Amino acid sequence: MRRNKMFTIAALPAVLLAVTLLLSGCQTPPPPGPKPLPPIETRYHADTASAVAFLARTVVEQLVNTPRPDQPTVPVEEFFNAQSAEITTSGRALQRQLADALTQTMAPLRFVPLDITSANTAQWALLASHTTPAAGETTQPGKWVRLQVAMVESSTGRVLTRVRTYLDAAQFNAEPTAFFKDAPMYFTDKRHQERVGAVGGQGRVIDGELLLQSAVSDAIAAYEAGRYDDAERAFVRAKAMSKDHPAALTGLYQTYWKQGRTADAEQAFAELVAASLDAGSLSVKLLFKVGATTFVDSGDLPTQYRLWLKSIGQVVSSKERCVDVTGHASKSGAADYNERLSQQRAESIVVLIAQTSRDARARFKAAGRGFQDTIVGTGANDATDAIDRRVEFRVRSCT
């Protein structure tokens, strides 16, 4: 079976229209209405070049009757992971490839990777995400990555077109980029959910969010280039735009840690914990040894973990909150085994927090959910479903 074989339900209305015309005999046909946009097709691609060409071509076809914006520069987002909010190696490469392809086919419009300059003047923006498809979503055998883009009018939120397609998962590098690999938690907050909704076609004004996202992207670029002084200034600017933005807060923590400024890093992490608790929850990346309740012994992670847990205990106590500590597992192995292991891991975390927080036993309650609440749910046990092996801290009533 050819992977690029395409199925579209648009053929059925065309057949019905032909039958209607035959039955109508010599009646005068009604005046033609506005030409409809071509249907959004779904295809499966064996390589990245085919997927990018399809996305570019379909966007052009969908916008053939749409007046072009006065501002010719159109920012293109990185393809973010809709499940974990991370940017991956392939997600970043796809951004550049799609921007180049659209620039070649939609002149005089010029598509560029999102930055502060392009966000400041943008009238249109191309939003983009990737995700692991849900069970039963795809109609072709094999493992796939869903790619989705939406062209949005930034000042009104009007969705001009939306396209999705599927790429062979073997052609997609799901490894998070350096910033997200170093990040102590996932950014799956309300802001992220709204971003996912925007790519999915839920129209909303995005010009303010576009500016904020571009500021964060510029800061991340400086961090990943090792320009930590520039990264610090950029994350401070992003924080000034949104004081509780999780990527700005964790960016400051990570930048201070890289510079060896432990006290500043600890203060920044406490701010991150406080903002997350005010929002209701935080998902922390605590990596355990396989089948064990002890942390992996990799680089300086054990030292950072002790800082994180100490900070969580202190902030929860100072805010007089109570928290459920819930261990999660990826969907592999027996369900009862995963539930026991995730419970034991959550309990071990409460024990560690109690070493630096006197009332931890009263404020923290451990639970294990195994793989009952997976976000990806493939059981791949690799970078694509790492978020399924998380520890969540969720605020609950103390009564």
Side-chain angles (χ1 to χ4, degrees):
M1 182 179 292
R2 292 175 57 198
R3 280 188 171 168
N4 278 355
K5 186 177 180 180
M6 174 271 291
F7 172 77
T8 173
I9 62 173
L12 182 57
V15 172
L16 294 177
L17 175 60
V19 172
T20 302
L21 291 175
L22 285 172
L23 293 176
S24 65
C26 297
Q27 295 177 5
T28 303
K35 184 179 179 181
L37 291 174
I40 297 179
E41 304 167 338
T42 297
R43 289 196 180 187
Y44 295 82
H45 305 273
D47 59 78
T48 302
S50 172
V52 170
F54 171 79
L55 288 171
R57 183 176 69 253
T58 310
V59 166
V60 172
E61 291 172 353
Q62 291 287 308
L63 296 176
V64 67
N65 295 321
T66 304
R68 299 300 188 249
D70 296 329
Q71 169 52 251
T73 302
V74 181
V76 179
E77 269 198 323
E78 294 170 308
F79 282 73
F80 68 91
N81 188 321
Q83 290 155 320
S84 69
E86 295 175 316
I87 301 298
T88 58
T89 301
S90 281
R92 179 165 292 164
L94 281 167
Q95 174 201 36
R96 300 188 183 99
Q97 292 165 12
L98 185 56
D100 290 343
L102 286 169
T103 296
Q104 292 173 14
T105 54
M106 292 191 70
L109 296 185
R110 188 171 66 92
F111 291 79
V112 299
L114 173 67
D115 60 14
I116 290 179
T117 301
S118 61
N120 263 315
T121 59
Q123 292 176 302
W124 285 8
L126 189 71
L127 313 182
S129 70
H130 70 83
T131 189
T132 301
E137 177 181 328
T138 56
T139 59
Q140 298 286 345
K143 294 183 178 180
W144 303 94
V145 175
R146 185 210 305 154
L147 306 178
Q148 186 159 295
V149 300
M151 188 75 78
V152 178
E153 196 172 59
S154 59
S155 62
T156 66
R158 184 166 68 100
V159 179
L160 304 173
T161 186
R162 183 167 57 88
V163 185
R164 69 163 55 178
T165 197
Y166 296 90
L167 172 64
D168 185 344
Q171 304 300 312
F172 190 90
N173 186 344
E175 187 77 12
T177 64
F179 173 82
F180 293 91
K181 196 180 295 185
D182 293 345
M185 60 183 62
Y186 296 101
F187 310 132
T188 51
D189 58 349
K190 180 182 177 182
R191 183 180 281 106
H192 168 68
Q193 298 306 324
E194 290 176 346
R195 192 178 176 196
V196 171
V199 182
Q202 298 174 12
R204 65 185 186 88
V205 176
I206 63 166
D207 48 3
E209 282 298 314
L210 207 61
L211 279 170
L212 177 56
Q213 188 59 40
S214 67
V216 171
S217 295
D218 284 0
I220 290 173
Y223 176 90
E224 294 187 338
R227 295 184 286 106
Y228 299 122
D229 288 342
D230 292 340
E232 178 185 352
R233 287 189 288 270
F235 282 123
V236 167
R237 285 195 296 271
K239 182 184 173 187
M241 297 170 70
S242 177
K243 63 182 178 61
D244 60 350
H245 194 289
L249 293 172
T250 195
L252 284 172
Y253 162 73
Q254 290 169 230
T255 300
Y256 294 145
W257 186 264
K258 287 289 189 182
Q259 293 172 314
R261 296 161 56 182
T262 306
D264 289 335
E266 191 165 358
Q267 181 179 344
F269 191 83
E271 282 189 62
L272 176 60
V273 172
S276 299
L277 290 176
D278 287 344
S281 69
L282 63 154
S283 292
V284 183
K285 297 179 185 177
L286 296 168
L287 303 180
F288 294 88
K289 293 179 181 177
V290 176
T293 59
T294 51
F295 296 134
V296 297
D297 188 14
S298 176
D300 62 5
L301 281 181
T303 303
Q304 290 197 69
Y305 288 174
R306 286 193 293 272
L307 182 154
W308 300 354
L309 295 178
K310 174 186 174 184
S311 182
I312 290 170
Q314 291 176 340
V315 173
V316 167
S317 180
S318 67
K319 285 181 165 288
E320 298 184 342
R321 301 288 182 86
C322 292
V323 173
D324 286 329
V325 182
T326 306
H328 298 273
S330 55
K331 201 170 186 178
S332 61
D336 56 350
Y337 170 79
N338 276 289
E339 285 191 28
R340 283 197 308 275
L341 182 60
S342 58
Q343 173 78 34
Q344 291 165 356
R345 286 173 170 173
E347 289 172 349
S348 71
I349 288 171
V350 174
V351 169
L352 290 171
I353 292 175
Q355 293 175 2
T356 56
S357 177
R358 288 180 300 175
D359 57 354
R361 294 289 187 180
R363 295 193 178 278
F364 291 85
K365 181 181 177 182
R369 295 287 293 170
F371 50 66
Q372 296 181 64
D373 299 323
T374 58
I375 293 174
V376 178
T378 60
N381 276 334
D382 58 20
T384 63
D385 68 342
I387 193 171
D388 286 343
R389 300 181 294 279
R390 68 195 183 282
V391 176
E392 265 185 342
F393 297 77
R394 190 170 296 276
V395 176
R396 61 176 171 84
S397 171
C398 290
T399 57

